[in-house]
Amino acid sequence: MRVASFIGQKGGVGKSALARVLAVAAARSGKKVLIADFDREQLSCVEWANRRTREGRLPAIEAREFKTLKKLRKNVSGYDLVVVDTRGHADELTEDVAEESDVVFLPSGTSLDDLRPTLNLARKLAKHGIADKIVVVLSRIGRSERLLDGAKQLVEEAGFATLDVHWPQRDGFQGDFDNGLAGSESVNPHLRQSARLLEEALLSRVERK
Ligand SMILES: Nc1ncnc2c1ncn2[C@@H]1O[C@H](COP(=O)(O)OP(=O)(O)O)[C@@H](O)[C@H]1O
Ligand SMILES: [Mg+2]
């Protein structure tokens, strides 16, 4: 079993949307997947999975609310992949989740407002000896190559890895999310294609030993 978590110091950076892309990709490739939703105030993944079920989308995705890591550990037998979604503000639980994970994805926008807290969190996690598990995912990115390159450089200078595919910000995803689809299943072929590139990058990082 592999555990991949989406962690951040901020809300709204795309943790839940990316967790759903990874879960759908793994399920489509035949893996038994659980999304463990630790964001108990928002439950974005649980609510989305409910909409997905209601719309009859396949593959079905199981998403459940969890309060503690202990509870999660008791419930993971039989799964190939557990995707952990967490709340906006990283706390002690988030750090424990990170330690338990095989890969820790840190989604972040390109602004310093996003990157500074993200890199501070990465440094904090690195003190637990897990720097090599950390992957910053540049997320909700507009059309500027310059901003993207600048952000990549900053993350790399700080000594952390970035995923080589970014998550583009597109209004068109909203309808898909609202209808229980992941970005990689978008009804818009251009959006779907860009999300498929990202899903491949997420999945191959998760599968890397
Ligand atoms: N690539 C994207 N393009 C457009 N909207 C997005 C994209 N990714 C996420 N969103 C939207 O942005 C908001 C925050 O995303 P979410 O995944 O919930 O972030 P987090 O889990 O980090 O708080 C949500 O309204 C979501 O639907
Ligand atoms: Mg969320």
Side-chain angles (χ1 to χ4, degrees):
M1 190 198 58
R2 309 284 285 172
V3 179
S5 54
F6 289 83
I7 285 177
Q9 197 55 276
K10 299 192 71 154
V13 289
K15 292 184 294 296
S16 302
L18 290 166
R20 290 160 359 191
V21 167
L22 174 60
V24 167
R28 208 188 316 108
S29 75
K31 293 194 163 63
K32 192 163 157 56
V33 184
L34 172 69
I35 301 183
D37 196 336
F38 277 87
D39 188 352
R40 302 177 65 233
E41 275 145 41
Q42 313 224 357
L43 291 177
S44 310
C45 287
V46 170
E47 293 293 335
W48 168 85
N50 289 341
R51 297 199 294 278
R52 186 175 179 87
T53 305
R54 227 179 291 130
E55 299 286 337
R57 309 285 186 196
L58 294 174
I61 301 292
E62 192 185 344
R64 274 148 61 194
E65 175 180 355
F66 286 92
K67 188 179 173 183
T68 65
L69 204 49
K70 198 172 156 202
K71 203 66 178 265
L72 178 63
R73 285 196 197 105
K74 276 192 189 157
N75 283 277
V76 293
S77 82
Y79 291 98
D80 302 308
L81 174 65
V82 178
V83 177
V84 185
D85 189 22
T86 62
R87 55 191 287 252
H89 188 77
D91 53 15
E92 221 171 278
L93 175 61
T94 325
E95 292 180 29
D96 293 344
V97 166
E99 284 199 69
E100 194 91 358
S101 304
D102 297 290
V103 189
V104 180
F105 293 112
L106 262 55
S108 172
T110 56
S111 70
L112 286 177
D113 291 334
D114 275 9
L115 284 169
R116 283 192 56 248
T118 301
L119 291 174
N120 285 339
L121 177 61
R123 288 185 194 101
K124 200 166 171 195
L125 294 175
K127 288 194 184 133
H128 297 242
I130 58 168
D132 54 336
K133 293 187 197 174
I134 296 172
V135 182
V136 174
V137 184
L138 293 167
S139 178
R140 305 194 63 191
I141 301 304
R143 310 240 179 215
S144 165
E145 292 285 333
R146 188 179 58 82
L147 292 180
L148 185 62
D149 290 344
K152 269 187 205 157
Q153 199 180 335
L154 200 74
V155 174
E156 276 152 27
E157 279 168 7
F160 296 99
T162 52
L163 196 72
D164 53 7
V165 180
H166 66 272
W167 178 229
Q169 168 72 20
R170 299 285 183 270
D171 291 341
F173 279 130
Q174 187 177 315
D176 301 314
F177 299 165
D178 289 355
N179 288 310
L181 294 169
S184 50
E185 301 169 306
S186 176
V187 296
N188 176 319
H190 297 290
L191 299 192
R192 193 167 65 235
Q193 175 58 18
S194 56
R196 287 283 172 117
L197 291 175
L198 176 96
E199 87 167 23
E200 264 172 49
L202 289 173
L203 202 54
S204 75
R205 182 59 187 81
V206 168
E207 283 169 355
R208 198 173 93 195
K209 296 283 167 190

